[in-house]
Amino acid sequence: MAHMPVIGRWSPRLVVSVLLGLAVVTTAGLTWETARAARSARATTDAVLGDYSTFAAWQFARESRARLNTEVAEVLAHTRRLFDGHPDTLRKPGDDCGCAPRAAVLSRFELRGGQAVRVIGEPLGADVLLLARAWRDDGGPSPMRHVEIAQAADGWQVVVLLRPQPAVPRIIGAVVDAALLTSTFTDVLASTSLLPESLVDAPSRDVFAVTVSHADGRRLFEAGTPGPIAGSAALFAGVSSLRVDASIHPDRAASLVIGGLPASRWPVALTLLLSSVVLVGLAWWQMRREVALAGRQADFVTGVSHELRTPLAQIRLYGETLLLGRVRSAEEGRRAAEVIVQEARRLGALVDTVLMFSRLRHGRVIIDRDAVDAARVTHDVVDAFRPFAAARAATVDVDLSAATGEAWIDANVFRQVLLNLLDNAVKYGPVGQTVRVVVEVSCAEVSLVVTDEGPGVPEAQTRRIWEPFWRAPGSSEGGSGLGLAIVRELATRHGGAAVVEPAPGQGARFRVTLGAAARVDVAAAVEPQPA
């Protein structure tokens, strides 16, 4: 019978990591979708503005074409009457047609068959003659009237040509100053609404920038600063080399779109994405801290279990020895009792450490100051600790030369700090070392310095040794990992500090200060002054 494969449970760390990764991916997708929607809205807006610009260019070209056609017709009509010998039939200004033109005509000419060209006014340029002859000799269905833009030495010129009778090779033409174009374009832009009045509420010259360019890119007319979105249109079929480009001024574009131009969403989207990444990174970092803390707590349970097992085994062994009467002498019985008492004290110290840490974590430690003889308390703690030091052949050297007088401190806090520092020094120092204790009392603080002869604390670990449950990597020593964390927390709550520094020669020096006040100063502050 085949067995179903067993799928192991995912670790909480892996599950949380996958969820955080999915959160980042989801945020990135939403950011991209927001940016894409903003781009789509902007593309639609640009298309609308492009259509408006194209319509404006077409409207400008249509109006300019109508006015230029009128001017060209007047120029050609006047030129034809001159060469036909009927100048007296010119009509007065204001008539429908045939009146004297307003444009500055530079030259008038006639080409008839193989005859020489007749010119009235300035001599014709070679390009104008070439253009006129080519159009005269064009036997196809050419239009009766033709307009072309020519480059002169001092600027642009407008060449207008007329074929009075399509079957007759006769051309009548004129060369007009380019001011005809610029004046016409200026008038159109000033007096014509290039968009319906329902869309704009300002003159066209304030809304649009207009440029009229030749096919080779040279500009004949330019009004305003061209915008990024433009529309184009040919001026008219007879002047195929001219193109009109119209663009909306950037500061006017928003007024032509309902709701205004869509703002770019990239800054907001990127800010949201970056914030999401930062938050996920912080969550990941916090998760790693929690996982590391959980690991240290597991090590704490293992270490405490080991610390409890050893003294309990000793107590049980020597207790059963006494109970069964297996001691061979009174001295052996006394020794067994001493071991039981020593291990019981060891258990008590461990329990006190755990309970003290629990009270600190829950804020149930109250600093109860009183007049304390720091030297006497130091002697009591060291004397009680000597049997533990003797187990590792360590000796404790005490210097109380600067610990004279009483200090206003919490005796239990001082006792717990000193005991934890001694335990840490003996546990991590070499066998047979000498641990030095120096206590100094002043009006402002009580200083406690404990120096061992161990390997010292690496600089990279000088901050981590104060963290709860933390022990040096590769350490084979037992313990709860709470001693130094309790020391710093008690020192901080007592208005002091705890630091570690290299000892002279070898080892580590732990310096703890507790905020204090001299007993005499406190008494002087509370006793009434004599009248």
Side-chain angles (χ1 to χ4, degrees):
M1 179 176 180
H3 296 281
M4 295 293 292
V6 178
I7 302 177
R9 293 184 305 170
W10 285 13
S11 67
R13 182 175 180 179
L14 179 59
V15 172
V16 174
S17 300
V18 171
L19 293 178
L20 291 177
L22 290 177
V24 173
V25 172
T26 302
T27 305
L30 293 176
T31 301
W32 174 256
E33 185 62 24
T34 300
R36 191 185 67 83
R39 286 200 312 270
S40 177
R42 187 56 191 249
T44 302
T45 303
D46 290 346
V48 171
L49 295 177
D51 291 342
Y52 287 164
S53 298
T54 301
F55 181 83
W58 176 85
Q59 179 73 356
F60 182 88
R62 185 180 73 87
E63 185 64 24
S64 298
R65 182 169 59 248
R67 299 192 184 190
L68 286 174
N69 281 335
T70 301
E71 295 289 341
V72 167
E74 292 178 357
V75 169
L76 290 177
H78 185 256
T79 302
R80 181 179 180 181
R81 284 175 171 78
L82 284 177
F83 285 106
D84 287 347
H86 305 289
D88 296 336
T89 62
L90 293 177
R91 300 187 180 182
K92 305 296 182 184
D95 292 341
D96 293 336
C97 62
C99 57
R102 293 178 296 153
V105 180
L106 304 178
S107 303
R108 304 174 191 273
F109 58 90
E110 178 189 31
L111 280 78
R112 183 186 295 269
Q115 299 178 10
V117 61
R118 296 170 59 191
V119 180
I120 300 175
E122 298 179 2
L124 298 181
D127 292 342
V128 175
L129 285 174
L130 183 62
L131 175 64
R133 286 174 177 148
W135 196 64
R136 180 198 61 185
D137 298 337
D138 182 8
S142 300
M144 294 182 61
R145 187 166 56 200
H146 183 73
V147 179
E148 193 62 68
I149 305 299
Q151 178 73 49
D154 56 349
W156 296 95
Q157 294 179 343
V158 181
V159 181
V160 293
L161 304 173
L162 174 66
R163 184 183 309 214
Q165 297 179 7
V168 178
R170 179 195 177 197
I171 298 298
I172 295 174
V175 177
V176 184
D177 194 301
L180 171 66
L181 296 177
T182 55
S183 61
T184 301
F185 297 152
T186 301
D187 292 343
V188 170
L189 189 59
S191 60
T192 305
S193 178
L194 301 183
L195 285 180
E197 294 182 357
S198 58
L199 293 176
V200 294
D201 56 356
S204 295
R205 60 172 175 269
D206 296 335
V207 178
F208 291 95
V210 176
T211 302
V212 180
S213 304
H214 195 264
D216 59 7
R218 287 173 292 182
R219 296 179 178 179
L220 278 74
F221 175 79
E222 183 175 8
T225 303
I229 302 175
S232 302
L235 187 57
F236 59 97
V239 190
S240 57
S241 58
L242 293 185
R243 187 185 75 245
V244 177
D245 294 313
S247 59
I248 302 173
H249 290 304
D251 56 346
R252 288 283 185 173
S255 63
L256 298 178
V257 179
I258 298 177
L261 297 178
S264 174
R265 298 299 179 185
W266 275 114
V268 175
L270 291 179
T271 301
L272 293 177
L273 179 60
L274 181 60
S275 301
S276 174
V277 172
V278 171
L279 292 177
V280 169
L282 291 175
W284 170 259
W285 175 74
Q286 184 64 28
M287 183 192 68
R288 291 192 62 182
R289 289 194 59 188
E290 294 295 334
V291 170
L293 180 61
R296 291 201 295 266
Q297 289 176 338
D299 294 339
F300 162 74
V301 174
T302 303
V304 169
S305 300
H306 177 74
E307 291 287 321
L308 291 173
R309 184 183 294 118
T310 300
L312 285 175
Q314 294 283 355
I315 292 173
R316 179 179 178 182
L317 173 63
Y318 286 100
E320 290 178 351
T321 299
L322 293 175
L323 180 64
L324 298 176
R326 294 178 180 176
V327 294
R328 290 172 293 186
S329 63
E331 183 65 26
E332 286 188 358
R334 179 180 176 82
R335 175 59 183 162
E338 289 178 350
V339 171
I340 291 175
V341 172
Q342 177 179 335
E343 295 300 325
R345 289 177 177 174
R346 183 176 174 185
L347 283 176
L350 180 60
V351 172
D352 288 344
T353 298
V354 176
L355 291 178
M356 176 62 72
F357 178 74
S358 177
R359 289 197 294 269
L360 286 172
R361 291 288 294 268
H362 293 86
R364 293 199 294 263
V365 174
I366 300 175
I367 303 300
D368 186 12
R369 297 175 182 269
D370 198 358
V372 175
D373 186 349
R376 183 181 60 80
V377 175
T378 302
H379 273 301
D380 293 343
V381 173
V382 171
D383 289 343
F385 186 78
R386 291 189 190 279
F388 297 98
R392 292 185 55 94
T395 58
V396 181
D397 183 14
V398 181
D399 181 3
L400 301 175
S401 59
T404 59
E406 294 180 337
W408 197 251
I409 61 173
D410 189 323
N412 291 329
V413 170
F414 182 82
R415 186 179 295 107
Q416 184 74 42
V417 168
L418 177 56
L419 185 61
N420 286 1
L421 290 178
L422 289 173
D423 181 69
N424 183 79
V426 170
K427 184 178 297 182
Y428 292 98
V431 176
Q433 69 169 329
T434 298
V435 179
R436 294 174 176 80
V437 178
V438 179
V439 179
E440 299 177 357
V441 177
S442 67
C443 295
E445 64 183 18
V446 173
S447 175
L448 174 60
V449 180
V450 177
T451 307
D452 60 42
E453 297 178 350
V457 180
E459 185 176 357
Q461 299 176 4
T462 54
R463 295 182 61 183
R464 301 206 64 189
I465 59 174
W466 307 104
E467 297 178 5
F469 311 114
W470 189 87
R471 291 190 298 171
S475 174
S476 60
E477 299 295 337
S480 61
L482 299 176
L484 294 181
I486 292 175
V487 167
R488 169 163 282 191
E489 186 66 22
L490 287 175
T492 301
R493 297 196 179 195
H494 208 289
V499 296
V500 61
E501 56 191 25
Q506 184 180 1
R509 173 182 293 169
F510 289 86
R511 185 183 302 274
V512 179
T513 58
L514 302 177
R519 182 71 178 94
V520 64
D521 295 337
V522 176
V526 298
E527 291 179 357
Q529 299 295 327

